[in-house]
Coordinates of all heavy atoms in Angstrom, one line a residue:
A85 N -17.7 -6.3 -18.4 CA -18.4 -6.5 -17.1 C -17.6 -7.7 -16.3 O -17.6 -8.7 -16.8 CB -19.9 -6.9 -17.3
W86 N -17.1 -7.3 -15.2 CA -16.4 -8.2 -14.4 C -17.2 -9.3 -13.8 O -16.8 -10.3 -13.4 CB -15.4 -7.6 -13.4 CG -16.1 -6.6 -12.5 CD1 -15.9 -5.2 -12.6 CD2 -16.8 -6.7 -11.3 NE1 -16.6 -4.6 -11.6 CE2 -17.1 -5.5 -10.8 CE3 -17.3 -7.9 -10.7 CZ2 -18.0 -5.3 -9.7 CZ3 -18.1 -7.7 -9.5 CH2 -18.4 -6.5 -9.0
T87 N -18.6 -9.0 -13.6 CA -19.5 -10.0 -13.2 C -19.6 -11.2 -14.0 O -20.1 -12.2 -13.7 CB -20.8 -9.4 -12.8 OG1 -21.3 -8.7 -14.0 CG2 -20.7 -8.4 -11.7
E88 N -19.2 -11.0 -15.3 CA -19.4 -12.1 -16.3 C -18.1 -13.0 -16.4 O -18.1 -14.0 -17.1 CB -19.6 -11.5 -17.7 CG -20.9 -10.7 -17.8 CD -21.2 -10.0 -19.1 OE1 -20.4 -10.2 -20.0 OE2 -22.2 -9.3 -19.2
L89 N -17.0 -12.6 -15.7 CA -15.8 -13.4 -15.6 C -16.0 -14.5 -14.5 O -17.0 -14.5 -13.8 CB -14.6 -12.5 -15.2 CG -14.4 -11.3 -16.1 CD1 -13.3 -10.5 -15.5 CD2 -14.1 -11.7 -17.5
N90 N -15.0 -15.5 -14.5 CA -15.0 -16.4 -13.5 C -14.8 -15.7 -12.1 O -14.3 -14.6 -12.1 CB -14.1 -17.5 -13.7 CG -12.6 -17.2 -13.4 OD1 -12.3 -16.5 -12.4 ND2 -11.7 -17.4 -14.4
P91 N -15.3 -16.3 -11.0 CA -15.2 -15.7 -9.7 C -13.8 -15.0 -9.3 O -13.8 -13.9 -8.8 CB -15.6 -16.7 -8.7 CG -16.5 -17.7 -9.5 CD -15.9 -17.6 -10.9
V92 N -12.8 -15.8 -9.7 CA -11.4 -15.2 -9.2 C -11.1 -14.0 -10.0 O -10.7 -13.0 -9.5 CB -10.4 -16.4 -9.4 CG1 -9.0 -15.8 -9.1 CG2 -10.7 -17.5 -8.5
W93 N -11.1 -14.1 -11.4 CA -10.8 -13.0 -12.2 C -11.8 -11.8 -12.0 O -11.4 -10.7 -12.0 CB -10.8 -13.3 -13.7 CG -10.0 -14.5 -14.0 CD1 -10.2 -15.3 -15.1 CD2 -8.8 -14.9 -13.5 NE1 -9.2 -16.3 -15.2 CE2 -8.3 -16.1 -14.2 CE3 -8.0 -14.6 -12.4 CZ2 -7.2 -16.8 -13.9 CZ3 -6.9 -15.3 -12.0 CH2 -6.5 -16.4 -12.9
G94 N -13.1 -12.2 -11.7 CA -14.1 -11.2 -11.3 C -13.7 -10.4 -10.1 O -13.8 -9.2 -10.1
F95 N -13.2 -11.1 -9.1 CA -12.9 -10.5 -7.8 C -11.7 -9.5 -8.1 O -11.6 -8.4 -7.6 CB -12.4 -11.6 -6.8 CG -11.8 -11.0 -5.6 CD1 -12.4 -10.4 -4.6 CD2 -10.3 -11.1 -5.5 CE1 -11.6 -9.8 -3.5 CE2 -9.6 -10.6 -4.4 CZ -10.3 -10.0 -3.4
V96 N -10.7 -9.9 -8.8 CA -9.5 -9.2 -9.1 C -9.9 -7.8 -9.8 O -9.5 -6.8 -9.4 CB -8.5 -9.9 -10.0 CG1 -7.4 -9.0 -10.4 CG2 -8.0 -11.1 -9.3
Y97 N -10.8 -7.9 -10.8 CA -11.2 -6.7 -11.5 C -12.3 -5.9 -10.7 O -12.3 -4.7 -10.9 CB -11.7 -7.0 -12.9 CG -10.6 -7.2 -13.8 CD1 -9.9 -8.4 -14.1 CD2 -10.1 -6.1 -14.6 CE1 -8.8 -8.6 -15.0 CE2 -9.1 -6.2 -15.5 CZ -8.4 -7.4 -15.7 OH -7.4 -7.5 -16.5
A98 N -13.0 -6.5 -9.8 CA -13.9 -5.8 -9.0 C -13.1 -4.9 -8.0 O -13.5 -3.7 -7.8 CB -14.8 -6.8 -8.2
V99 N -12.1 -5.5 -7.4 CA -11.2 -4.6 -6.5 C -10.6 -3.5 -7.2 O -10.6 -2.3 -6.7 CB -10.2 -5.6 -5.8 CG1 -9.2 -4.7 -4.9 CG2 -10.8 -6.6 -4.9
G100 N -10.1 -3.7 -8.4 CA -9.6 -2.6 -9.2 C -10.6 -1.6 -9.6 O -10.4 -0.4 -9.5
D101 N -11.8 -2.1 -10.0 CA -12.8 -1.2 -10.3 C -13.2 -0.3 -9.2 O -13.4 0.9 -9.4 CB -14.1 -2.0 -10.7 CG -15.2 -1.2 -11.3 OD1 -15.0 0.0 -11.6 OD2 -16.3 -1.8 -11.6
L102 N -13.2 -0.8 -7.9 CA -13.6 0.0 -6.8 C -12.5 1.0 -6.4 O -12.9 2.1 -5.9 CB -14.0 -0.9 -5.6 CG -14.4 -0.3 -4.3 CD1 -15.7 0.5 -4.5 CD2 -14.6 -1.3 -3.2
N103 N -11.3 0.6 -6.5 CA -10.2 1.4 -5.9 C -9.4 2.3 -6.9 O -8.6 3.1 -6.4 CB -9.3 0.4 -5.2 CG -9.9 -0.1 -4.0 OD1 -10.0 0.5 -2.9 ND2 -10.4 -1.4 -4.1
C104 N -9.6 2.0 -8.2 CA -8.7 2.7 -9.2 C -9.6 3.4 -10.3 O -10.6 2.9 -10.6 CB -7.8 1.7 -9.7 SG -6.6 2.4 -10.9
H105 N -9.0 4.4 -10.8 CA -9.7 5.0 -12.0 C -9.6 4.2 -13.2 O -10.4 4.3 -14.1 CB -9.1 6.4 -12.3 CG -9.4 7.5 -11.3 ND1 -8.6 7.8 -10.2 CD2 -10.4 8.4 -11.3 CE1 -9.1 8.8 -9.5 NE2 -10.2 9.2 -10.2
Q106 N -8.6 3.2 -13.2 CA -8.5 2.3 -14.3 C -8.3 3.0 -15.7 O -8.7 2.5 -16.7 CB -9.6 1.3 -14.4 CG -9.7 0.4 -13.2 CD -10.7 -0.6 -13.3 OE1 -11.9 -0.3 -13.6 NE2 -10.4 -1.9 -13.1
K107 N -7.6 4.2 -15.7 CA -7.4 4.9 -17.0 C -6.5 4.1 -17.8 O -5.4 3.7 -17.4 CB -6.9 6.3 -16.7 CG -7.9 7.3 -16.2 CD -7.3 8.6 -16.0 CE -8.3 9.6 -15.4 NZ -9.3 9.9 -16.3
Y108 N -6.9 3.8 -19.0 CA -6.1 2.8 -19.9 C -4.8 3.4 -20.2 O -3.9 2.7 -20.3 CB -6.9 2.5 -21.1 CG -7.0 3.6 -22.2 CD1 -6.1 3.8 -23.2 CD2 -8.1 4.6 -22.1 CE1 -6.2 4.8 -24.0 CE2 -8.2 5.6 -23.0 CZ -7.3 5.7 -24.0 OH -7.3 6.8 -24.9
E109 N -4.6 4.7 -20.4 CA -3.4 5.4 -20.7 C -2.4 5.4 -19.5 O -1.2 5.6 -19.8 CB -3.5 6.8 -21.2 CG -4.0 7.8 -20.2 CD -5.6 7.9 -20.1 OE1 -6.3 6.9 -20.6 OE2 -6.0 8.9 -19.6
R110 N -2.9 5.0 -18.4 CA -2.0 5.0 -17.2 C -1.8 3.5 -16.7 O -1.4 3.3 -15.6 CB -2.6 5.8 -16.1 CG -2.7 7.3 -16.4 CD -3.3 8.1 -15.3 NE -3.5 9.5 -15.8 CZ -4.0 10.5 -15.0 NH1 -4.5 10.2 -13.9 NH2 -4.1 11.7 -15.5
S111 N -2.3 2.5 -17.5 CA -2.2 1.2 -17.1 C -1.5 0.3 -18.1 O -1.4 0.7 -19.3 CB -3.6 0.6 -16.9 OG -4.5 1.4 -16.1
W112 N -0.9 -0.8 -17.6 CA -0.3 -1.7 -18.5 C -1.2 -2.7 -19.1 O -2.3 -2.9 -18.5 CB 0.8 -2.6 -17.7 CG 2.1 -1.8 -17.4 CD1 2.6 -0.9 -18.2 CD2 2.9 -1.9 -16.3 NE1 3.8 -0.4 -17.6 CE2 4.0 -1.1 -16.4 CE3 2.8 -2.8 -15.1 CZ2 5.0 -0.9 -15.5 CZ3 3.8 -2.6 -14.2 CH2 4.8 -1.8 -14.3
K113 N -0.9 -3.2 -20.2 CA -1.7 -4.4 -20.9 C -0.9 -5.5 -20.9 O 0.3 -5.6 -21.1 CB -2.1 -4.0 -22.3 CG -3.3 -3.0 -22.3 CD -3.8 -3.0 -23.8 CE -5.1 -2.1 -23.9 NZ -5.5 -2.0 -25.3
I114 N -1.5 -6.7 -20.6 CA -0.9 -8.0 -20.6 C -1.8 -8.9 -21.5 O -2.9 -9.0 -21.3 CB -0.6 -8.7 -19.3 CG1 0.2 -7.7 -18.4 CG2 -0.1 -10.1 -19.3 CD1 0.4 -8.2 -17.0
N115 N -1.2 -9.5 -22.5 CA -1.9 -10.4 -23.4 C -3.1 -9.7 -24.1 O -4.3 -10.3 -24.2 CB -2.5 -11.6 -22.6 CG -3.0 -12.7 -23.5 OD1 -2.6 -12.9 -24.6 ND2 -4.1 -13.4 -23.0
G116 N -3.0 -8.4 -24.3 CA -4.1 -7.6 -24.9 C -5.2 -7.3 -24.0 O -6.2 -6.8 -24.4
N117 N -4.9 -7.5 -22.7 CA -6.0 -7.1 -21.6 C -5.4 -6.1 -20.7 O -4.3 -6.2 -20.1 CB -6.3 -8.4 -20.8 CG -7.0 -9.4 -21.6 OD1 -7.9 -9.2 -22.4 ND2 -6.6 -10.7 -21.5
Q118 N -6.2 -5.1 -20.4 CA -5.7 -4.0 -19.5 C -5.7 -4.6 -18.1 O -6.6 -5.4 -17.7 CB -6.7 -2.8 -19.5 CG -6.3 -1.7 -18.5 CD -7.2 -0.5 -18.7 OE1 -7.6 -0.1 -19.8 NE2 -7.5 0.1 -17.5
M119 N -4.7 -4.3 -17.3 CA -4.5 -4.7 -15.9 C -5.7 -4.1 -15.1 O -6.2 -3.0 -15.4 CB -3.2 -4.4 -15.4 CG -2.1 -5.3 -16.0 SD -0.4 -4.9 -15.2 CE -0.8 -5.5 -13.5
P120 N -6.0 -4.7 -14.0 CA -7.1 -4.2 -13.1 C -6.8 -2.9 -12.4 O -7.7 -2.2 -12.0 CB -7.4 -5.3 -12.2 CG -6.1 -6.1 -12.1 CD -5.5 -6.0 -13.6
M121 N -5.5 -2.6 -12.3 CA -5.2 -1.3 -11.7 C -4.1 -0.6 -12.5 O -3.4 -1.3 -13.2 CB -4.7 -1.5 -10.2 CG -5.8 -1.9 -9.3 SD -5.3 -1.6 -7.5 CE -6.8 -2.3 -6.6
C122 N -4.0 0.7 -12.3 CA -3.0 1.5 -13.0 C -1.5 1.2 -12.4 O -1.5 0.6 -11.4 CB -3.2 3.0 -12.9 SG -3.1 3.6 -11.2
T123 N -0.6 1.7 -13.1 CA 0.8 1.4 -12.7 C 1.1 2.0 -11.3 O 1.9 1.4 -10.5 CB 1.8 1.9 -13.7 OG1 1.6 3.3 -14.0 CG2 1.7 1.1 -15.0
R124 N 0.5 3.2 -10.9 CA 0.8 3.7 -9.6 C 0.3 2.8 -8.6 O 0.9 2.5 -7.5 CB 0.1 5.1 -9.4 CG 0.7 5.8 -8.2 CD 0.3 7.2 -8.0 NE 0.1 8.1 -9.0 CZ 1.0 8.9 -9.5 NH1 2.3 8.9 -9.1 NH2 0.6 9.7 -10.5
D125 N -0.9 2.2 -8.7 CA -1.5 1.3 -7.8 C -0.7 -0.1 -7.7 O -0.5 -0.6 -6.6 CB -3.0 1.0 -8.0 CG -3.8 2.2 -7.6 OD1 -3.4 3.0 -6.9 OD2 -5.0 2.2 -8.1
V126 N -0.2 -0.5 -8.9 CA 0.7 -1.6 -8.9 C 1.9 -1.3 -7.9 O 2.4 -2.2 -7.2 CB 1.2 -2.0 -10.3 CG1 2.3 -3.0 -10.3 CG2 0.0 -2.5 -11.1
G127 N 2.5 -0.1 -8.1 CA 3.7 0.2 -7.3 C 3.3 0.3 -5.8 O 4.1 -0.1 -5.0
I128 N 2.1 0.8 -5.5 CA 1.7 0.9 -4.1 C 1.6 -0.5 -3.5 O 2.1 -0.8 -2.4 CB 0.3 1.6 -4.0 CG1 0.5 3.1 -4.3 CG2 -0.3 1.4 -2.6 CD1 -0.8 3.9 -4.4
F129 N 1.0 -1.4 -4.2 CA 0.9 -2.8 -3.7 C 2.3 -3.5 -3.5 O 2.5 -4.1 -2.5 CB 0.0 -3.6 -4.6 CG -1.4 -3.7 -4.2 CD1 -2.3 -2.7 -4.7 CD2 -2.0 -4.6 -3.3 CE1 -3.6 -2.6 -4.3 CE2 -3.3 -4.6 -3.0 CZ -4.2 -3.5 -3.5
F130 N 3.1 -3.2 -4.5 CA 4.5 -3.7 -4.4 C 5.2 -3.2 -3.2 O 5.9 -3.9 -2.4 CB 5.3 -3.4 -5.7 CG 6.6 -4.0 -5.8 CD1 7.0 -5.2 -5.1 CD2 7.6 -3.4 -6.5 CE1 8.3 -5.7 -5.2 CE2 8.9 -3.9 -6.6 CZ 9.2 -5.1 -5.9
G131 N 5.1 -1.8 -3.1 CA 5.8 -1.2 -1.9 C 5.2 -1.6 -0.6 O 6.0 -1.9 0.4
F132 N 3.9 -1.9 -0.5 CA 3.2 -2.3 0.7 C 3.9 -3.7 1.1 O 4.1 -3.9 2.3 CB 1.7 -2.4 0.4 CG 0.9 -2.7 1.7 CD1 0.3 -1.7 2.3 CD2 0.8 -4.0 2.2 CE1 -0.5 -2.0 3.5 CE2 0.1 -4.3 3.4 CZ -0.6 -3.2 4.0
V133 N 4.0 -4.5 0.1 CA 4.5 -5.9 0.4 C 6.0 -5.8 0.9 O 6.3 -6.4 2.0 CB 4.5 -6.8 -0.9 CG1 5.3 -8.1 -0.7 CG2 3.1 -7.1 -1.3
V134 N 6.8 -4.9 0.3 CA 8.2 -4.8 0.7 C 8.2 -4.2 2.2 O 8.9 -4.6 3.0 CB 9.0 -3.9 -0.2 CG1 10.3 -3.6 0.3 CG2 9.1 -4.6 -1.6
G135 N 7.3 -3.1 2.4 CA 7.3 -2.5 3.7 C 6.9 -3.5 4.8 O 7.5 -3.5 5.9
A136 N 5.8 -4.3 4.6 CA 5.4 -5.3 5.6 C 6.4 -6.3 5.7 O 6.7 -6.8 6.9 CB 4.1 -5.9 5.1
A137 N 7.2 -6.8 4.7 CA 8.2 -7.7 4.8 C 9.4 -7.2 5.6 O 10.0 -7.9 6.4 CB 8.6 -8.2 3.4
L138 N 9.7 -5.9 5.3 CA 10.9 -5.3 6.1 C 10.6 -5.2 7.6 O 11.4 -5.5 8.4 CB 11.0 -3.9 5.5 CG 12.1 -3.0 6.2 CD1 13.4 -3.6 5.9 CD2 12.0 -1.6 5.7
F139 N 9.3 -4.9 8.0 CA 9.0 -4.9 9.3 C 9.1 -6.3 9.9 O 9.6 -6.5 11.0 CB 7.6 -4.3 9.6 CG 7.3 -4.2 11.0 CD1 7.6 -3.2 11.8 CD2 6.5 -5.3 11.7 CE1 7.4 -3.1 13.1 CE2 6.2 -5.3 13.0 CZ 6.7 -4.1 13.8
G140 N 8.6 -7.3 9.1 CA 8.6 -8.7 9.6 C 10.1 -9.1 9.9 O 10.3 -10.0 10.7
W141 N 11.0 -8.6 9.1 CA 12.4 -8.9 9.2 C 13.0 -8.3 10.4 O 13.9 -8.8 11.1 CB 13.1 -8.6 8.0 CG 14.6 -8.8 8.0 CD1 15.3 -9.9 8.5 CD2 15.6 -7.8 7.5 NE1 16.7 -9.7 8.3 CE2 16.9 -8.5 7.7 CE3 15.6 -6.6 6.9 CZ2 18.1 -7.8 7.4 CZ3 16.8 -6.0 6.6 CH2 18.0 -6.6 6.8

Side-chain angles (χ1 to χ4, degrees):
W86 48 259
T87 52
E88 297 176 3
L89 303 176
N90 75 49
V92 176
W93 307 151
F95 166 78
V96 174
Y97 276 89
V99 173
D101 188 8
L102 180 62
N103 291 281
C104 180
H105 288 92
Q106 295 183 308
K107 290 181 178 292
Y108 71 92
E109 67 271 20
R110 300 178 184 178
S111 305
W112 283 326
K113 280 189 174 181
I114 299 176
N115 190 33
N117 295 315
Q118 182 176 321
M119 290 184 66
M121 288 197 185
C122 68
T123 50
R124 195 177 321 268
D125 285 345
V126 170
I128 289 173
F129 270 87
F130 183 30
F132 188 99
V133 170
V134 173
L138 178 64
F139 182 85
W141 175 46

